[in-house]
Amino acid sequence: MDQSKHPNESFLECYFVTGRTVPHPTPEPDEAEIEAIVDIARRAVAGGAGIVQVRSKPISVRALTRLSVNIAVAVEEVNPQTKVVIDDRVDVAVALMPDHLVHGVHLGQDDLDPRLARRVLGPQAIIGLTTGTLPLVEQANEYADVIDYVGAGPFRPTPTKDSGREPLGLEGYPALVEACRVPVVAIGSVRAEDAGDLAATGVAGVAIVRGFMQAEDPTAVAQEVNQAFATRGITR
Ligand SMILES: Cc1ncc(COP(=O)(O)OP(=O)(O)O)c(N)n1
Ligand SMILES: Cc1ncsc1CCOP(=O)(O)O
Ligand SMILES: [Mg+2]
């Protein structure tokens, strides 16, 4: 992506991906659960999470929209510099971006083609793309002019998402970072205490679901991640 758009990619260092607060499978979060998820986002952002992805699956489009609006309002109150992206749904992002603190989308391999998403969302939007193997990173490089970062995982096995890919471990990241033309964000059972070791592999950030959703103190989690990148992160 154009370097002038996000000259500083540090917003990716501490990346909160929202999850569910109740055991699956309820079809979607109700109002009480939405409030609980928003409260965790608020506390993560207070600790310095630079980006929040709205992804509390399973979730209907209507509930995703409500959750995204509530998160955008809360994030704007706590720190309006924080980025908010929506998992999968370009339609929801494009509908909300004009009036809410919503910056873009995180796309999976089966979602709208990133080039089409860029056309719809415009030049300033943030677009992330899922990878997790060298072939997927090489495919993502074909989109380097329209994406801002890739997610790469799983770092470790995770109950949150069965991607079918082998866990990368710490040793898997340097080759992906080296090959990738955009910043790489590690995901999959990442805990705050992993952030230093992952930062030292060259990743631009760590994306965390359960490590925030189940934390007693989400603010402290974000602070620990940011501190780890401040001391062990590698500037590209
Ligand atoms: C930062 C980040 N990386 C990877 C993913 C996984 O996305 P995807 O493959 O689209 O799977 P779902 O999250 O939609 O189940 C992600 N969400 N965020
Ligand atoms: C969405 C996603 N993509 C790869 S792993 C993962 C889930 C990460 O969740 P957790 O941090 O709870 O392991
Ligand atoms: Mg997705």
Side-chain angles (χ1 to χ4, degrees), residues 170-185:
L170 275 180
E171 54 293 348
Y173 283 98
L176 298 190
V177 170
E178 173 72 23
C180 196
R181 293 174 56 198
V182 298
V184 175
V185 174

Side-chain angles (χ1 to χ4, degrees), residues 2-68:
D2 175 6
Q3 287 301 305
S4 62
K5 196 178 69 158
H6 304 296
N8 183 351
E9 65 193 45
S10 65
F11 72 90
L12 292 168
E13 290 176 357
C14 180
Y15 188 142
F16 172 40
V17 182
T18 71
R20 297 289 303 267
T21 63
V22 296
H24 297 181
T26 56
E28 61 176 15
D30 60 15
E31 289 308 317
E33 192 182 351
I34 286 178
E35 213 172 287
I37 297 166
V38 170
D39 184 57
I40 296 167
R42 195 186 288 278
R43 292 156 74 189
V45 170
I51 176 165
V52 178
Q53 180 188 144
V54 189
R55 179 203 180 275
S56 290
K57 287 184 173 176
I59 191 165
S60 69
V61 169
R62 289 293 177 92
L64 178 69
T65 305
R66 276 200 303 285
L67 178 60
S68 300

Side-chain angles (χ1 to χ4, degrees), residues 151-165:
F155 167 53
R156 295 199 186 96
T158 169
T160 308
K161 167 89 190 172
D162 180 8
S163 66
R165 293 185 294 273

